Amino acid sequence: MRKSIKKMVFCRVAAALLSILLFSGVTTFNLLRIEKMQEKSANNVALLNKAQAAETAHYKWSSNLSRALYAGGEFPGTDDTKCALGQWIYGEAGTDDAEILRLRDEIKPMHKELNQSVTEVKYMMAVSPASAQNYYQETIQANLTALVGKLDQVIEQGTTLNN
């Protein structure tokens, strides 16, 4: 009888230890998964903030260009790498999502062209202010709208990923 009681106690202790090990393993796995999901979520929020800041900055850029054309203000810069959007385009993407990376590649030439249009509009302003204003209304505003549309798609995709 003694052997059977010892054997039963040993089996129960072994089962309890195995249960504890299994529970600890599952808990650790889930904690690591949660940590990874939180990191992805933080990256998505940062990406959304960058895209929204880029939209705001480019509307301000357009306003400054408009002020320069219509009220004689100072022209905005032409360096497409200095603004928030340029830093995202030419820097770390902050995501590995294929759709966002594709949109980023589409935004890059649009953004470069938009910033370089300031040089062209300055030249036009010296020759014919009316032509410069017309170019701003018809071309630059259309290009800005297209760029912001792509940024909206980035925001939409980032929101989808975040959810």
Side-chain angles (χ1 to χ4, degrees):
M1 216 48 124
R2 253 193 160 138
K3 281 188 175 181
S4 65
I5 291 175
K6 284 183 181 179
K7 192 174 186 181
M8 288 176 60
V9 169
F10 176 75
C11 287
R12 288 181 180 168
V13 168
L17 286 174
L18 284 173
S19 296
I20 290 170
L21 287 174
L22 181 63
F23 178 75
S24 296
V26 169
T27 302
T28 302
F29 173 76
N30 285 331
L31 287 173
L32 291 173
R33 217 174 81 198
I34 288 169
E35 186 177 313
K36 187 176 180 180
M37 289 173 63
Q38 285 177 331
E39 183 181 326
K40 274 188 167 186
S41 180
N43 287 343
N44 287 336
V45 168
L47 176 65
L48 290 172
N49 288 339
K50 285 179 186 178
Q52 289 168 340
E55 276 191 15
T56 302
H58 283 81
Y59 281 126
K60 185 176 178 183
W61 176 91
S62 177
S63 174
N64 290 341
L65 182 55
S66 176
R67 191 174 314 117
L69 289 170
Y70 293 98
E74 190 172 318
F75 283 92
T78 59
D79 189 347
D80 64 317
T81 63
K82 298 284 187 208
C83 66
L85 180 58
Q87 290 173 359
W88 177 64
I89 290 172
Y90 295 106
E92 182 61 37
T95 186
D96 57 356
D97 181 68
E99 178 67 13
I100 290 177
L101 295 175
R102 182 188 66 75
L103 288 166
R104 182 179 177 222
D105 289 341
E106 289 179 15
I107 289 170
K108 191 178 207 176
M110 296 168 75
H111 183 246
K112 187 174 190 77
E113 179 183 343
L114 189 65
N115 279 275
Q116 289 175 342
S117 64
V118 173
T119 304
E120 190 168 338
V121 104
K122 277 183 183 179
Y123 171 76
M124 293 172 91
M125 191 68 175
V127 176
S128 168
S131 294
Q133 292 167 351
N134 190 39
Y135 180 76
Y136 169 77
Q137 292 296 327
E138 292 179 8
T139 304
I140 294 175
Q141 286 296 317
N143 290 345
L144 178 64
T145 300
L147 177 76
V148 168
K150 294 290 180 184
L151 285 170
D152 284 340
Q153 290 177 26
V154 169
I155 291 169
E156 194 175 299
Q157 181 66 16
T159 301
T160 300
L161 290 174
N162 207 29
N163 292 335

